[in-house]
Amino acid sequence: MVQHYKMLINGEWVDSRSGRLIEVINPANGELIATTPAAEKEDIEEAVRSAYNAFVSWSNETPFYRGNLLRKAAKLVLERSKEIAEIMTREQGKTLKESKQEVEKGAAILRYYAEEGERVYGRVIANEEKNSESIVIYEPIGVAAAITPWNYPIELLAWKVGGALAAGCTLVAKLPAETPLSPLKFIECIVEAGVPAGVVNALTGYGREIGPYLVEHPLIKRVAFTGSTETGKQILKMCSNDIKKVTLELGGSLPMLVHSDADLDAAVKGAVRRSFRNAGQICIAINRIYVHQDIYEAFIEKFAESTMKLKVGNPLLEECDMGPMCTKRGLEKVERHVKDAVSKGAKVVCGGKRLEGIKYEKGNFYEPTIVRDVNHEMLIMREETFGPAVGVMPYKDIDEAINLANDTNYGLAAIVYTRSISIARKVAKEVKAGNIAINNVDAGVINAPYGGWKDSGIGVEHGPEGLFEYLRPKHIRIHYL
Ligand code: NAD
């Protein structure tokens, strides 16, 4: 049965004024699973007004009160994790295991910000003059807009809901049109935890239609965006009209360096995980692998052997390692990148095409793909592939590898495997990216700042720094009489 989900405005679950609907499709089999409203300008107006009206009382609550509500919401998310994870897998295509981990992470993020909100401290600063001092306090910025993509429908929203609400901001979230269902369930937990009406609003709709109206709304004072670099650049322009505070978490083209002294098995395990998890649809998915020439053949052999063991298919099944890609557009992009590499002389080691057969024909399935002997003329090494295909090429020395890693407009994250502390330090220092993972592939943790350099974004999420993006400092200078 096709279910209908409503959006949240001012504490009420509502349809859009126009009654227009968006269809949510299961990428594994092309089936229609649900409909949601397609929000219009009037719906945005109402949501922003309700967040604006809720701001004064929410920002005046104590961080302890706000933190308790976030902890309650986290508990509800965990209690419903099985149901929410299934919904996520049906709409997004990632395996049930990964969906469950994401939902649990969503709860952990709310708990983290509940605590971090209680630790926002100001400063007392000495003045040169006697009987004078400066006090610095932090105040919530105002109504925030959150815009998120479909690849991590709950996690990326949780970063913004957690940060905004803990800081005392109110929020209007524009959920991704492809995967609005699991985030709506996540928002439901926040409402049921007792967060007052208007503090969080969640709209479903097409970004191109309503995104600009939300971002440019004069009552929006803070914009938190995660998505493509192309859209991010447009949003940055939109924020310049009335100088809004904005953070942009954008695309990447992540390099992995595997040095001659690396623990090869660990590097291969990491490469498999970060190239094919969520079918490669991760901002910090590995796009490009540079391997020292002495271990190039050995690495490729082991990498291919492990990759070919991955079970691709119905993501709801326990044994599945990789599901379909979320969108047809994404599938076509991976195909284009692999074809381009092959036409320019690269060789496919494994994969390289859509999965065939009755089980796959209605879904967006692409084989986990390794392409070797690539170069920087090829799209796979220059653009974000955002799918299950990765290019591998050899290097002679670490300076060459670092130059190759830096030969990109992106700068989100980089990975290096080496046993040498000097090589690790050199890579960490010289690669121009916001996050460096050494002998691991998980460049983001919730209590350390996460953000991109260059075309990968501005500002950070995660950590106290992420919370402070929703606060602004106020300097109070006092002369005591
Ligand atoms: P996208 O930019 O097309 O869409 C992202 C969101 O923006 C969606 O909600 C969409 O509806 C909305 N949107 C689209 N056009 C808009 C406009 N003109 N104004 C306002 N909003 C608009 O991105 P996508 O293809 O859905 O997502 C994949 C991209 O997200 C990849 O590039 C990936 O690397 C990036 N991403 C980055 C991070 C990070 O932390 N840096 C995390 C996840 C994904």
Side-chain angles (χ1 to χ4, degrees), residues 227-229 249-255 282-285 287-288 382-386 408-413 455-456:
S228 63
T229 296
E249 300 292 344
L250 309 177
S253 169
L254 188 146
I282 316 180
C283 50
I284 51 168
N287 276 245
R288 313 175 267 146
R382 298 218 68 85
E383 288 184 9
E384 182 181 42
T385 304
F386 220 58
T408 171
N409 289 335
Y410 294 112
L412 188 55
D455 275 5
S456 291

Side-chain angles (χ1 to χ4, degrees), residues 137 170 172 190 192 278 332 362 373 376 398 401 477 479:
I137 60 167
T170 55
V172 179
I190 293 167
E192 287 182 29
N278 196 12
E332 286 158 12
K362 291 192 180 140
D373 307 342
H376 277 214
I398 200 65
R477 181 139 193 267
H479 181 70

Side-chain angles (χ1 to χ4, degrees), residues 407-423:
D407 180 26
T408 171
N409 289 335
Y410 294 112
L412 188 55
I415 296 170
V416 57
Y417 275 75
T418 176
R419 286 194 171 90
S420 157
I421 192 163
S422 309
I423 296 279

Side-chain angles (χ1 to χ4, degrees), residues 146-152 156 159-160 174-178 205-215 225-232 234-235 238 248-253 281-285 327 329 333 384 386 410 412 450-452 456-457 461-462:
I147 300 183
T148 46
W150 45 263
N151 64 330
Y152 282 86
L156 301 171
W159 296 354
K160 296 162 184 64
K174 206 295 284 168
L175 307 178
E178 299 83 354
Y206 296 111
R208 251 178 231 111
E209 283 179 17
I210 55 167
Y213 190 70
L214 174 63
V215 172
F225 174 78
T226 302
S228 63
T229 296
E230 191 193 349
T231 313
Q234 293 171 24
I235 296 218
M238 293 176 210
L248 303 171
E249 300 292 344
L250 309 177
S253 169
Q281 302 161 117
I282 316 180
C283 50
I284 51 168
T327 68
R329 201 162 37 101
K333 187 177 187 192
E384 182 181 42
F386 220 58
Y410 294 112
L412 188 55
Y450 173 78
S456 291
E461 297 195 277
H462 294 194

Side-chain angles (χ1 to χ4, degrees), residues 157 184 193 223 257 328 331 370 406 411 430-431 447 479-480:
L157 176 68
L184 281 171
V223 176
L257 277 50
K328 284 242 166 344
L331 180 68
I370 302 171
N406 282 333
E430 294 182 17
V431 171
N447 50 358
H479 181 70
Y480 297 102

